[in-house]
């Protein structure tokens, strides 16, 4: 290690040679934590460190690491039966970038982590207990829970879901005062005149395929969506970040309106149910797929309650859709957006939530589902452009 950068020989391992220039930055980050000369542990410059020398490194500098990170490093050393550790795995660990090979080394190790579980730790402050609670709510593996507990800093805070919820409440309050109606606002003659709801006659206004999420049919609709959105969305955002959770949420919203435009062509759409159902469905599917590893309390009861809430909200939407509309021939808002959100959650959402701290662009299944989703969006766009006129669909008059 000369001047903080590591020379990479021509015959080094592919993991080291592939991104040599970018790794110089990662090495600098790692040596800030463990200030050692890697040549002392990799004299042949092969890209690997022997587990024996790696243990010497931990014995010398282990006190400078978080206890959980040290525990994971020891598990990494024990998990390599060939007696050597890839230098890139070490760099990824120290720079908080956990590669797939690193995860496999941990999960296929010759022993389990020997430290006490995160739940047994005492003397934690309120914020630390909250982080621990979120870890057990969302992550199925103890190594991931400990990693998240050590890494999470509340910076940035879970702002996205909270900001969306505040915006939805503000829009609802505005139209509640304007329409002088709080329950079943959809029955007001001015409700659909807003620039936000999706309406089949106004489908050329592209923003409506997303903006409809900020309008709700009444306080009963908003309350159920808001409760599920906050109880599930905020913990997921704390673990997976605003970008990933925002991706699931927005994809669910867009899939919901497009699904309505294809299958329930005469109906308008309002409400954030597409995004909410995408998040909740992805989380519930992740819990079921990792049932033995999920250690959240009363998980069976809570899953049953979540399904009851989703069923009540969906049943309300189905009832409203077929209830005689206040202003025929325009029907009441469609319930199909819920199903579009569920479809996104069970496909794209599950892949995102299953890959904590893993690069999504390296996951083949993510690209398969993303391609299918993109294909659906393109087909729905062409449907909206051409199918209505070709099929001579009779649409309700614009609001």
């Amino acid at each position: 290690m000369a001047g903080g950068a590591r020379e990479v020989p021509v015959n080094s391992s592919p993991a080291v040679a592939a991104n040599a220039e970018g790794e110089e930055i990662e090495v600098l980050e790692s040596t800030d934590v463990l200030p050692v000369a890697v040549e002392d542990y990799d004299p042949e410059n092969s890209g690997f460190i022997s587990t024996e020398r790696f243990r010497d490194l931990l014995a010398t500098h282990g006190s400078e690491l978080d206890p959980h990170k040290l525990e994971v490093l020891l598990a990494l050393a024990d998990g390599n039966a060939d007696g050597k550790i890839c230098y890139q795995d070490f760099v990824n660990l120290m720079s908080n970038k956990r590669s797939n090979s690193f995860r496999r080394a941990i999960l296929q190790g010759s022993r389990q982590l020997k430290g006490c579980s995160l739940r047994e730790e005492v003397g934690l402050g309120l914020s630390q207990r909250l982080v621990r609670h979120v870890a057990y709510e969302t992550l199925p593996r103890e190594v991931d829970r400990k990693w998240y507990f050590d890494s999470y800093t509340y910076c940035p805070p879970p702002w996205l879901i909270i900001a969306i919820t505040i915006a939805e409440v503000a829009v609802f309050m505005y139209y509640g005062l304007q329409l002088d109606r709080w329950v079943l606002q959809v029955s007001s003659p001015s409700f659909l005149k807003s620039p936000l709801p999706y309406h089949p006659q106004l489908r050329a206004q592209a923003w409506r395929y997303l903006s409809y999420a900020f309008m709700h049919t009444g306080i009963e609709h908003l309350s159920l969506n808001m409760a599920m959105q906050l109880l599930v969305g905020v913990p997921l955002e704390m673990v997976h970040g605003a970008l990933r959770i925002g991706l699931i949420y927005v994809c669910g919203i867009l899939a919901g309106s497009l699904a309505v435009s294809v299958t329930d062509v005469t109906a308008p759409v309002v409400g954030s149910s597409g995004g909410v159902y995408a998040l909740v469905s992805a989380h519930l599917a992740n819990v079921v797929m990792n049932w033995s590893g999920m250690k959240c309390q009363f998980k069976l009861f809570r899953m049953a309650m979540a399904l009851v809430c989703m069923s009540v909200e969906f049943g309300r939407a189905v009832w409203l859709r077929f209830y005689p509309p206040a202003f025929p021939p325009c029907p009441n808002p469609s319930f199909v957006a819920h199903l579009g959100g569920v479809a996104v959650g069970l496909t794209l959402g599950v892949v995102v939530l299953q890959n904590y701290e893993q690069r999504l662009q390296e996951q083949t299944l993510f690209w398969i589902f993303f391609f299918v989703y993109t294909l659906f969006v393109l087909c729905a766009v062409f449907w909206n452009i051409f199918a209505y006129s070709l099929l001579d669909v009779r649409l309700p008059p614009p609001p």
Side-chain angles (χ1 to χ4, degrees), residues 265-281:
V265 295
T266 62
V269 188
V270 294
S272 59
S273 299
V276 172
Y277 275 55
L279 289 178
V280 177
S281 298

Side-chain angles (χ1 to χ4, degrees), residues 53-265:
R53 291 176 176 176
F54 189 66
R55 286 182 174 281
D56 292 341
L57 175 69
L58 297 180
T60 305
H61 299 280
S63 60
E64 303 170 31
L65 296 173
D66 293 326
H68 296 142
K69 183 171 285 188
L70 177 61
E71 188 178 345
V72 170
L73 281 166
L74 288 171
L76 176 62
D78 284 351
N80 286 266
D82 54 0
K84 59 184 180 180
I85 295 170
C86 178
Y87 174 76
Q88 181 61 39
D89 284 343
F90 169 72
V91 170
N92 286 342
L93 175 71
M94 301 315 302
S95 57
N96 286 335
K97 296 179 181 178
R98 299 171 64 190
S99 65
N100 286 332
S101 59
F102 172 79
R103 177 182 289 274
R104 285 193 298 269
I106 295 296
L107 297 181
Q108 297 174 4
S110 58
R111 67 171 177 87
Q112 299 291 328
L113 297 176
K114 291 183 178 178
C116 65
S117 70
L118 188 59
R119 196 186 294 278
E120 297 173 0
E121 296 194 7
V122 296
L124 301 180
L126 179 61
S127 62
Q128 290 177 309
R129 291 200 299 271
L130 175 60
V131 173
R132 180 176 63 180
H133 173 76
V134 169
Y136 276 97
E137 289 291 308
T138 55
L139 296 172
R141 286 177 285 268
E142 186 69 15
V143 61
D144 285 337
R145 290 191 282 262
K146 290 184 175 183
W147 184 276
Y148 167 73
F149 181 81
D150 282 336
S151 302
Y152 188 70
T153 61
Y154 288 99
C155 184
W159 60 272
L160 179 64
I161 295 298
I162 294 175
I164 291 174
T165 304
I166 292 174
E168 291 169 356
V169 172
V171 170
F172 174 78
M173 295 291 292
Y174 171 78
Y175 283 103
L177 294 172
Q178 188 179 69
L179 302 175
D180 193 24
R181 190 167 301 183
W182 304 97
V183 178
L184 286 179
Q185 287 183 351
V186 69
S187 61
S188 171
S190 301
F191 181 79
L192 291 178
K193 293 181 180 180
S194 166
L196 298 179
Y198 167 84
H199 191 282
Q201 282 281 17
L202 304 174
R203 64 187 184 280
Q205 299 175 0
W207 72 84
R208 290 178 180 267
Y209 289 92
L210 294 174
S211 64
Y212 78 93
F214 294 98
M215 293 282 290
H216 289 80
T217 59
I219 193 169
E220 70 289 343
H221 187 195
L222 175 67
S223 299
L224 284 169
N225 276 351
M226 188 170 62
M228 291 189 289
Q229 187 167 281
L230 291 174
L231 291 175
V232 176
V234 171
L236 289 179
E237 185 181 347
M238 289 177 65
V239 173
H240 298 280
L243 184 61
R244 292 189 177 193
I245 298 307
L247 173 67
I248 300 174
Y249 192 86
V250 172
C251 286
I253 293 292
L254 182 58
S257 56
L258 290 175
V260 171
S261 71
V262 171
T263 62
D264 197 2
V265 295

Side-chain angles (χ1 to χ4, degrees), residues 6-13 16-17 44-47:
R6 184 174 191 268
E7 296 181 0
V8 180
V10 176
N11 62 346
S12 62
S13 67
V16 179
E44 299 176 357
N45 211 13
S46 63

Side-chain angles (χ1 to χ4, degrees), residues 36-43 48-50 53-54 56-57 60:
V36 297
V38 179
E39 287 89 346
D40 295 341
Y41 298 91
D42 184 17
F48 292 90
I49 305 174
S50 71
R53 291 176 176 176
F54 189 66
D56 292 341
L57 175 69
T60 305

Side-chain angles (χ1 to χ4, degrees), residues 240-382:
H240 298 280
L243 184 61
R244 292 189 177 193
I245 298 307
L247 173 67
I248 300 174
Y249 192 86
V250 172
C251 286
I253 293 292
L254 182 58
S257 56
L258 290 175
V260 171
S261 71
V262 171
T263 62
D264 197 2
V265 295
T266 62
V269 188
V270 294
S272 59
S273 299
V276 172
Y277 275 55
L279 289 178
V280 177
S281 298
H283 178 57
L284 293 183
N286 191 39
V287 171
V288 171
M289 294 169 63
N290 300 279
W291 187 261
S292 61
M294 299 298 292
K295 302 300 182 183
C296 50
Q297 294 180 328
F298 311 111
K299 58 184 176 183
L300 184 59
F301 172 76
R302 293 165 63 183
M303 172 168 282
M305 290 302 299
L307 292 175
V308 167
C309 290
M310 293 176 69
S311 300
V312 168
E313 213 289 304
F314 182 70
R316 181 209 57 82
V318 173
W319 168 83
L320 181 62
R321 172 64 180 86
F322 295 106
Y323 188 79
F327 305 99
C330 182
N332 286 324
S334 177
F335 61 87
V336 178
H338 299 68
L339 303 179
V342 171
V344 169
L346 295 180
T347 53
L348 198 62
V350 169
V351 177
V352 172
L353 298 191
Q354 273 197 320
N355 290 281
Y356 167 67
E357 285 296 330
Q358 304 297 303
R359 295 183 178 92
L360 289 179
Q361 61 268 28
E362 296 177 357
Q363 309 300 317
T364 303
L365 200 57
F366 170 77
W367 287 111
I368 292 174
F369 285 136
F370 189 79
F371 173 78
V372 172
Y373 178 82
T374 304
L375 187 62
F376 161 74
V377 171
L378 293 176
C379 291
V381 169
F382 279 103

